[in-house]
Amino acid sequence: MKPVKNKKIFFLAGFPRAGNTLLTSILNQNPDVCCTPNSITLEIMKDLFLLRSTDVFQNFPDEQSLNNVMDEVYNLYYKHWNYKYIIDRGPAGTTSNIALLKKHFKQEIKIIFLVRPLLEVLASWMTWAIKTPNAFIRKASNNPTHMCHLLMNSEGQIVKEILCMQNLLKPENKHMVHFVDYHELVGKPHQTIKGIYKFLGIPSFKHRFIDLDQVVVNGISYNDTILGEGVHTIKTKKLIKSKIDVNILPKEIIKQYGKIKFI
């Protein structure tokens, strides 16, 4: 079977532990849709852009040829993927990423963004880390307060997604984003998925919300020996809202981050 040509490509961003893997599993029931695991495409774009600062490029600054490559990153990366619609997961809404996409991505930019209260996000990470000996944050520290601060590192995924949200809320960008609340995804899945399809402008599909599948794309699944066992494992029997007690967090963490509001 020949890969589909002229694919439409969309984006999935949002806070970790906010239902990214769950939403991916649900959307991928549609044979025309592929929502990807964490993608390297934005990193490819960034690395190509940074070539401009090299001596070799500055010695012979062929802007057009480099732009030709950057214009085709998404088409080339997904060339062999046999889907009509690709939903690429990554922090597409940050200031630098949006700037690159506006210049080089030749389709309309549409970003699904998953949200969840920050303390729930941190508590979910901590709940998982406590029961996972090879969790990546436990390799750095066993102190709960320190672990939370590591998760909130300025270069980490949570802060990157906060910056992504802040940029997408700007008047010039807010038309690009559709926010999905974790609690609505789990509690009102039919309406939530319907809203996503409407935002993307693609034909509807009858999804199931029981007997879910773990995420496998093109025969490849997550290798969670890298981050820690089970970090991308979902409950498959039915949709279940994870029971997260934010009081598992140290009091100083609750005080420091509990007042942060996003929308």
Side-chain angles (χ1 to χ4, degrees):
M1 185 180 295
K2 293 183 178 180
V4 174
K5 294 183 178 180
N6 301 318
K7 304 173 180 70
K8 287 189 176 181
I9 299 175
F10 310 108
F11 300 93
L12 173 63
F15 302 148
R17 314 302 292 179
N20 289 277
T21 309
L22 175 62
L23 179 60
T24 297
S25 173
I26 294 170
L27 291 175
N28 285 357
Q29 294 169 13
N30 185 338
D32 289 335
V33 172
C34 185
C35 189
T36 78
N38 287 302
S39 172
I40 62 170
T41 50
L42 290 168
E43 290 297 311
I44 294 172
M45 293 288 282
K46 181 190 75 173
D47 289 346
L48 288 170
F49 175 79
L50 291 176
L51 288 174
R52 285 176 167 82
S53 64
T54 63
D55 291 344
V56 174
F57 182 85
Q58 291 179 6
N59 183 238
F60 186 76
D62 187 353
E63 289 280 349
Q64 185 58 58
S65 296
L66 181 56
N67 284 338
N68 290 342
V69 176
M70 296 184 72
D71 289 346
E72 294 298 319
V73 164
Y74 283 91
N75 291 332
L76 288 171
Y77 190 87
Y78 291 114
K79 181 179 179 179
H80 69 291
W81 292 45
N82 194 32
Y83 303 92
K84 292 181 180 179
Y85 311 106
I86 303 289
I87 305 175
D88 180 272
R89 182 179 171 190
T94 62
T95 301
S96 56
N97 286 338
I98 279 287
L100 288 174
L101 290 174
K102 285 180 177 179
K103 182 175 181 179
H104 297 286
F105 186 71
K106 303 308 180 182
Q107 301 183 33
E108 182 180 4
I109 301 171
K110 292 188 176 183
I111 303 170
I112 305 162
F113 196 101
L114 281 159
V115 296
R116 189 177 188 181
L118 180 55
L119 289 184
E120 289 187 22
V121 170
L122 291 173
S124 180
W125 275 120
M126 293 299 296
T127 301
W128 167 76
I130 288 170
K131 63 182 181 182
T132 308
N134 65 338
F136 69 97
I137 48 176
R138 283 183 61 175
K139 294 177 182 179
S141 175
N142 279 318
N143 179 280
T145 299
H146 188 214
M147 290 165 73
C148 288
H149 287 311
L150 288 173
L151 289 168
M152 293 299 295
N153 182 282
S154 61
E155 298 297 319
Q157 187 180 6
I158 295 176
V159 171
K160 191 176 292 185
E161 295 292 356
I162 291 173
L163 295 174
C164 183
M165 171 182 272
Q166 290 172 344
N167 192 49
L168 289 171
L169 287 170
K170 293 178 180 178
E172 65 269 27
N173 296 328
K174 63 181 181 180
H175 66 283
M176 302 177 185
V177 65
H178 175 74
F179 291 106
V180 173
D181 184 275
Y182 166 77
H183 296 286
E184 299 226 330
L185 172 62
V186 178
K188 300 178 181 178
H190 292 90
Q191 298 95 313
T192 301
I193 299 301
K194 183 178 179 180
I196 290 173
Y197 272 79
K198 182 178 179 180
F199 169 68
L200 299 180
I202 64 177
S204 60
F205 180 85
K206 188 176 181 179
H207 288 271
R208 69 182 187 277
F209 304 106
I210 59 173
D211 299 324
L212 303 174
D213 300 313
Q214 301 296 342
V215 173
V216 178
V217 174
N218 290 333
I220 304 171
S221 56
Y222 276 108
N223 175 14
D224 281 338
T225 60
I226 304 301
L227 297 179
E229 183 180 353
V231 69
H232 291 108
T233 300
I234 62 170
K235 296 179 175 66
T236 57
K237 188 174 182 180
K238 61 180 180 179
L239 290 182
I240 300 175
K241 187 181 296 185
S242 59
K243 296 179 180 178
I244 297 298
D245 181 6
V246 298
N247 291 311
I248 192 176
L249 300 171
K251 290 182 180 180
E252 58 266 41
I253 294 297
I254 294 174
K255 183 178 180 180
Q256 182 170 353
Y257 297 116
K259 295 180 180 180
I260 297 178
K261 304 295 181 184
F262 305 113
I263 300 180

